[in-house]
Amino acid sequence: MTRKTVRTVAVAGVAAALTLLTACGSTDAPPTAAEALTVSDAWVKAADAGMTGAFAELSNTADTDLHVVAVSSPNASRTELHEMAPDGGSAMVMREMADGLVIGAGSTHSLAPGGDHLMLMDIVEPIRPGSDVTFSLEFEDGSVKDFTAQVRDYAGAQEEYEPATTGAGHGG
């Protein structure tokens, strides 16, 4: 082989190796749970004091389940993930989700009055119609999704707590 041929073969070999390394060493990490979640139609029931509920559509754009393990809001001393469940008889009661909220791969989970929702407890100031409330959802992978929900007047969804929890009425 001539020097020119050897140089051409060497350059082609280096170029092929770099292409292979670039393809194998891609830095495209899978999205975090927070990046895979879309929050829409978020709103909060207006309240002067005590407790209230927040609702939204949570859409998982990933091909794996998302696991929400906690929720927080600066508008309440305590914020919890809540569900409606049978009380052992014919009634349904609201209670904290023991294991958090799972949003199935490629699906949407509705947080709605009378169903699963976010519960704001011991609100720090009145939550008035037309204002906004901010939330942070924390996922099992440690990522956090922040979103804002608009406050609305709403008269429905007067569920009851499990008696073992507080025995008080529910505002969400």
Side-chain angles (χ1 to χ4, degrees):
M1 274 196 232
T2 67
R3 282 188 160 171
K4 185 176 180 182
T5 304
V6 170
R7 194 173 336 140
T8 302
V9 169
V11 169
V14 169
L18 286 175
T19 300
L20 183 60
L21 285 174
T22 301
C24 292
S26 176
T27 59
D28 292 339
T32 65
E35 292 168 334
L37 183 76
T38 302
V39 179
S40 60
D41 300 324
W43 64 281
V44 178
K45 181 182 174 189
D48 288 329
M51 301 175 272
T52 192
F55 315 100
E57 296 293 314
L58 305 177
S59 297
N60 177 356
T61 62
D63 57 5
T64 58
D65 293 350
L66 303 180
H67 187 184
V68 181
V69 295
V71 59
S72 62
S73 173
N75 293 81
S77 296
R78 200 171 77 207
T79 311
E80 298 176 350
L81 299 162
H82 277 213
E83 66 183 344
M84 293 301 296
D87 71 351
S90 61
M92 298 289 284
V93 293
M94 185 218 11
R95 66 180 180 205
E96 185 173 12
M97 292 179 179
D99 297 320
L101 170 66
V102 175
I103 305 162
S107 69
T108 297
H109 188 91
S110 294
L111 300 178
D116 294 348
H117 59 281
L118 308 179
M119 190 72 194
L120 292 97
M121 304 166 87
D122 301 320
I123 59 176
V124 297
E125 62 186 20
I127 296 177
R128 305 268 187 231
S131 63
D132 290 328
V133 174
T134 59
F135 291 90
S136 294
L137 296 176
E138 182 181 338
F139 295 86
E140 187 173 49
D141 69 0
S143 64
V144 175
K145 177 74 168 194
D146 296 324
F147 69 95
T148 302
Q150 186 179 53
V151 180
R152 301 179 187 166
D153 276 324
Y154 182 74
Q158 298 295 326
E159 299 88 9
E160 294 293 320
Y161 274 114
E162 273 189 323
T165 306
T166 66
H170 162 292

